[in-house]
Amino acid sequence: MPIIDLWAKEGYLSTPDGNSIYFWGFAKSETGPAQLPGPYIIAKQGETITVNLHNMLSEPVSVSFPGQPEVLADGQPVAPRYSNGQLLSFVNHAESGSTVTYTFTPTHPGTFMYESGTTPHKQVPMGLYGGLLVRPTDYNPDINEYKTVYGFGTNTEYDREYLLITGEIDPSLHQAVREERPYHVSKYLPRYWTLNGRCAPDTMFLDNVNYLPHQPYGSMVMGQPGEKILMRYIGAGVDNHPLHPHGSHARVVAMDGRLLRNGSIDLSFKRFTVLVGAGQTYDLIYQWDGLGYTPENTIPTTLPDKRNMGIGDAGWTMWSGSPYLGRKGDIPVGVVSYNEFGEYYFMLHSHEELQITNWGEFPGGMMTWVAIYSSLSPDVGMLK
């Protein structure tokens, strides 16, 4: 039976404009840093999982698991908790310095989140949330037909997978909590928008870079032509976010951890933009084939739009300088290219313009890339 330990702690986030923001997050260990989002939890359908929450913050904290039935806390069904007649927590919480143990058995595969169930209007925006992935009972990553999101025969096979968790940061909320001052939710005004806890361009860096100790997860999506790339979206913030990958429409195969299928009828659909609401999850499969592209002819009939590979007048680009996938060529004088091996880049971003800024400055916020390489290690895009 998997046993997960989460420590609720405080820390400081970094933003690309040099700001440092106090936050609350879950850590993997007692001595490890609080992180945003919390550690990914990967479970298996039908297998009981135990989560120990150790609260190192100064007020009660809990963890709720939306979509999971019959959750127990210290062996009893979870229930709301009250303080002086006021609702304090939607589920059993741990007092400061104490531990509460949750157990549950996922009945459905899919993408879910976990988050604080205690004063969630405050604690979730402060950073107490994370992703929960449930594998189907027949999941086998070594057999293509069984490397699926929802099980054999569900048309949800994939080659690589990525988890993208949306969020926002209102620095005034974080400052008020740090100084133990009151904060009015009606004044909520985000200035930063995050994918996996980072703002662009930090979203494009690899996982576990040492200069972002509290934000370990990158958001760069990578694959090869024709591969099925699974994108798991989780809306952990308060606002809705219209996410859109360039280069190809993605096929939405599930919402809120439920496969889009009615009996034998496949109800999946392709969509230009998906509006990721607060608390919602989506599973999408993205494929870039490139019209006319073949391994023998590494130039597609329709080239990727070079505008997608540069950002405004920033003086840098992701363009390789060559129309051929896997090759590099000349780039304009004065332009810095971050292209590695002649790969194509397609922007993935929020379609709400303010959300792709850092406190109003473009580029930033909820933005990353889908990078298509001519060859790529099979170890890339594996969530473990």
Side-chain angles (χ1 to χ4, degrees):
M1 180 174 69
I3 299 176
I4 308 294
D5 286 281
L6 299 174
W7 277 261
K9 305 169 71 172
E10 61 183 6
Y12 284 86
L13 298 170
S14 296
T15 59
D17 58 359
N19 210 342
S20 180
I21 298 174
Y22 177 78
F23 83 108
W24 291 350
F26 294 112
K28 290 181 178 179
S29 67
E30 184 175 6
T31 57
Q35 64 177 71
L36 185 73
Y40 300 159
I41 297 177
I42 299 180
K44 195 165 188 178
Q45 180 186 10
E47 189 172 70
T48 299
I49 183 171
T50 296
V51 177
N52 298 314
L53 168 63
H54 311 280
N55 181 13
M56 301 178 72
L57 295 173
S58 58
E59 64 180 51
V61 174
S62 64
V63 179
S64 65
F65 301 92
Q68 305 307 318
E70 301 181 1
V71 179
L72 303 179
D74 293 332
Q76 300 297 317
V78 293
R81 288 292 182 266
Y82 297 85
S83 175
N84 299 323
Q86 300 277 324
L87 178 65
L88 174 64
S89 181
F90 287 104
V91 296
N92 306 59
H93 57 258
E95 297 288 350
S96 178
S98 65
T99 297
V100 60
T101 297
Y102 304 98
T103 56
F104 60 95
T105 304
T107 55
H108 290 79
T111 303
F112 304 90
M113 67 180 296
Y114 66 88
E115 60 185 345
S116 175
T118 304
T119 53
H121 60 283
K122 166 187 172 185
Q123 294 194 359
V124 176
M126 281 298 294
L128 291 173
Y129 61 80
L132 168 64
L133 313 183
V134 180
R135 307 285 192 202
T137 54
D138 60 0
Y139 177 76
N140 186 336
D142 298 323
I143 303 176
N144 290 342
E145 294 82 357
Y146 291 91
K147 186 180 178 181
T148 70
V149 197
Y150 286 90
F152 176 78
T154 57
N155 195 21
T156 59
E157 300 87 358
Y158 63 89
D159 297 292
R160 305 179 195 269
E161 66 176 330
Y162 297 88
L163 177 59
L164 300 175
I165 303 180
T166 64
E168 321 96 33
I169 297 172
D170 176 0
S172 296
L173 163 65
H174 293 248
Q175 185 78 3
V177 172
R178 188 176 73 86
E179 298 174 353
E180 299 182 351
R181 290 188 286 106
Y183 173 84
H184 298 287
V185 176
S186 62
K187 305 295 185 184
Y188 186 66
L189 185 61
R191 301 294 190 178
Y192 297 100
W193 294 267
T194 61
L195 286 173
N196 292 342
R198 299 182 187 177
C199 307
D202 292 350
T203 52
M204 305 165 200
F205 298 145
L206 296 174
D207 290 354
N208 301 310
V209 289
N210 57 15
Y211 42 87
L212 294 171
H214 296 283
Q215 297 143 282
Y217 301 131
S219 302
M220 186 73 86
V221 176
M222 294 175 275
Q224 293 180 233
E227 286 188 335
K228 294 180 178 179
I229 302 173
L230 169 63
M231 299 179 181
R232 300 176 183 264
Y233 292 167
I234 294 178
V238 175
D239 292 340
N240 300 330
H241 304 290
L243 288 187
H244 165 58
H246 289 217
S248 179
H249 291 0
R251 182 167 65 92
V252 181
V253 301
M255 299 169 61
D256 296 328
R258 292 295 185 271
L259 181 66
L260 294 177
R261 178 178 288 259
N262 184 1
S264 61
I265 302 174
D266 184 355
L267 300 179
S268 65
F269 58 92
K270 287 193 172 183
R271 184 57 57 88
F272 176 79
T273 297
V274 170
L275 184 64
V276 183
Q280 280 192 306
T281 73
Y282 284 89
D283 296 312
L284 307 92
I285 293 177
Y286 176 99
Q287 276 184 287
W288 183 85
D289 292 305
L291 184 62
Y293 171 88
T294 67
E296 293 74 29
N297 175 28
T298 57
I299 179 170
T301 304
T302 303
L303 292 173
D305 190 337
K306 284 194 284 187
R307 290 181 304 171
N308 291 335
M309 303 196 190
I311 296 180
D313 299 320
W316 56 274
T317 181
M318 311 302 280
W319 173 236
S320 69
S322 169
Y324 291 89
L325 185 63
R327 303 184 197 179
K328 299 188 74 171
D330 295 333
I331 57 173
V333 175
V335 174
V336 176
S337 174
Y338 290 95
N339 195 283
E340 295 179 297
F341 308 109
E343 65 276 16
Y344 294 146
Y345 283 92
F346 302 96
M347 193 178 294
L348 192 166
H349 64 105
S350 170
H351 254 203
E352 189 169 325
E353 291 190 352
L354 187 59
Q355 295 179 2
I356 53 174
T357 71
N358 296 326
W359 209 313
E361 290 293 328
F362 175 86
M366 202 169 282
M367 177 195 303
T368 185
W369 303 94
V370 178
I372 301 296
Y373 290 80
S374 58
S375 64
L376 194 62
S377 166
D379 295 330
V380 174
M382 299 292 116
L383 297 177
K384 300 177 180 177

